[in-house]
Amino acid sequence: MAYIDPSEFATKLVDSGEQKVYMSTKDTIIRAYMAGAILALAAVFAITVATKTGSPLVGALLFPIGFIMLYLMKFDLLTGVFTLVPLAWIDKRPGVTFGQMMRNWGLVALGNFFGAFTVAVMMAYIFTMGFNTDGGAIAAKVAGIGEARTLGYAAHGTDGWITVFIRGMLCNWMVSMGVVGAMISTSVSGKWLAMWMPVMLFFFMGFEHSIVNMFLFPFSLIMGGDFTVADYLLWNELPVALGNLVGGLVFVGLPIYYTHAKTSAARNLNKS
């Protein structure tokens, strides 16, 4: 596995953010749709494995497969563009305005949602034999997760909202470390190894990922989860998305940018 020093790929992070802003609407939405769908499949796969084996760790070990697939295909998640696109704006790249950054985030979020929602509907159909059965143990498990991650937070009011925000922040800290970590290697095996550990960590620890939740909560509602769309948006998706933004940008993007792409002058210790 060839190792690339962060100072060598730091500028590539900014270049990547710029490229995403210039990408056509069609390409942006299609890539985001595919990313949302693949991540949703990975999530239901991990939940299924964890439910059938009784081991959440096994599910967490296997979940990164979806993340790796979508990364290698250069599909886009909102969590990734939260980290990369602001760097191009901060770097004052031509054409990368605040409005263009918001456009990119909006299109990616839209594509991610419809991709994740498509899989939610398909999996719900499969588990219920065309909505003719109750869906079984996995459906009950997901319904319970949906209730716990909305009404469970709501029961604690402001503290619950802050808790889910922090979980979202910790999640994208790890996910963005996976995105950036993949750049340390030029080989496929090196890239997936670098991505595996931080993504597994976030999933096992129950941190909150806005795109995984775009699948999880619609699926939970279809499966009979006892909460509302408003509960989902207010007590999960909104604080999670904000937390994902802060976690990826503040703890990954900006530190790399300001210490590798915009390195300060070295100290002079030879003053007479």
Side-chain angles (χ1 to χ4, degrees):
M1 181 178 91
Y3 173 75
I4 300 174
D5 190 88
S7 61
E8 298 178 58
F9 67 69
T11 302
K12 292 182 180 179
L13 294 180
V14 185
D15 294 339
S16 179
E18 180 182 15
Q19 290 165 5
K20 294 181 188 305
V21 168
Y22 278 92
M23 193 184 303
S24 71
T25 299
K26 179 204 71 169
D27 292 346
T28 301
I29 291 178
I30 291 174
R31 293 186 188 189
Y33 179 93
M34 294 306 301
I38 291 170
L39 200 67
L41 283 168
V44 73
F45 170 55
I47 292 170
T48 300
V49 170
T51 301
K52 291 188 174 182
T53 63
S55 172
L57 179 59
V58 176
L61 281 167
L62 295 174
F63 171 74
I65 292 171
F67 182 84
I68 292 165
M69 284 193 296
L70 70 89
Y71 177 88
L72 294 176
M73 294 297 104
K74 294 190 180 298
F75 296 147
D76 286 327
L77 291 172
L78 184 62
T79 45
V81 297
F82 273 166
T83 301
L84 298 175
V85 176
L87 300 183
W89 178 52
I90 292 168
D91 202 56
K92 295 182 171 57
R93 293 295 178 92
V96 183
T97 63
F98 181 80
Q100 290 298 324
M101 181 170 67
M102 292 296 104
R103 170 189 173 276
N104 174 261
W105 289 357
L107 291 175
V108 172
L110 187 68
N112 285 168
F113 173 76
F114 280 109
F117 185 76
T118 298
V119 172
V121 173
M122 289 193 293
M123 295 309 300
Y125 194 95
I126 290 171
F127 281 124
T128 61
M129 291 291 182
F131 304 107
N132 289 305
T133 67
D134 66 1
I138 295 171
K141 174 71 172 178
V142 174
I145 292 173
E147 292 169 10
R149 293 192 175 185
T150 51
L151 304 181
Y153 292 127
H156 296 281
T158 301
D159 288 336
W161 201 95
I162 294 173
T163 296
V164 70
F165 169 84
I166 294 173
R167 285 188 172 181
M169 186 173 64
L170 292 170
C171 168
N172 207 28
W173 186 353
M174 291 298 96
V175 171
S176 293
M177 284 298 294
V179 171
V180 173
M183 296 183 180
I184 69 173
S185 174
T186 56
S187 70
V188 172
S189 60
K191 288 179 182 295
W192 71 253
L193 279 170
M195 286 185 276
W196 202 285
M197 287 301 295
V199 174
M200 181 192 70
L201 188 158
F202 112 68
F203 195 85
F204 183 74
M205 293 298 294
F207 298 154
E208 299 275 1
H209 192 286
S210 55
I211 313 309
V212 171
N213 291 354
M214 288 178 183
F215 157 76
L216 182 64
F217 288 90
F219 185 60
S220 179
L221 283 169
I222 296 170
M223 292 293 97
D226 187 19
F227 61 97
T228 66
V229 173
D231 291 330
Y232 156 56
L233 294 175
L234 178 61
W235 293 102
N236 192 279
E237 193 63 40
L238 177 60
V240 169
L242 291 173
N244 288 169
L245 170 60
V246 173
L249 183 59
V250 173
F251 291 105
V252 181
L254 291 179
I256 291 175
Y257 177 75
Y258 281 114
T259 61
H260 291 295
K262 294 293 181 182
T263 307
S264 298
R267 298 170 61 207
N268 183 0
L269 301 179
N270 297 317
K271 292 181 179 179
S272 56

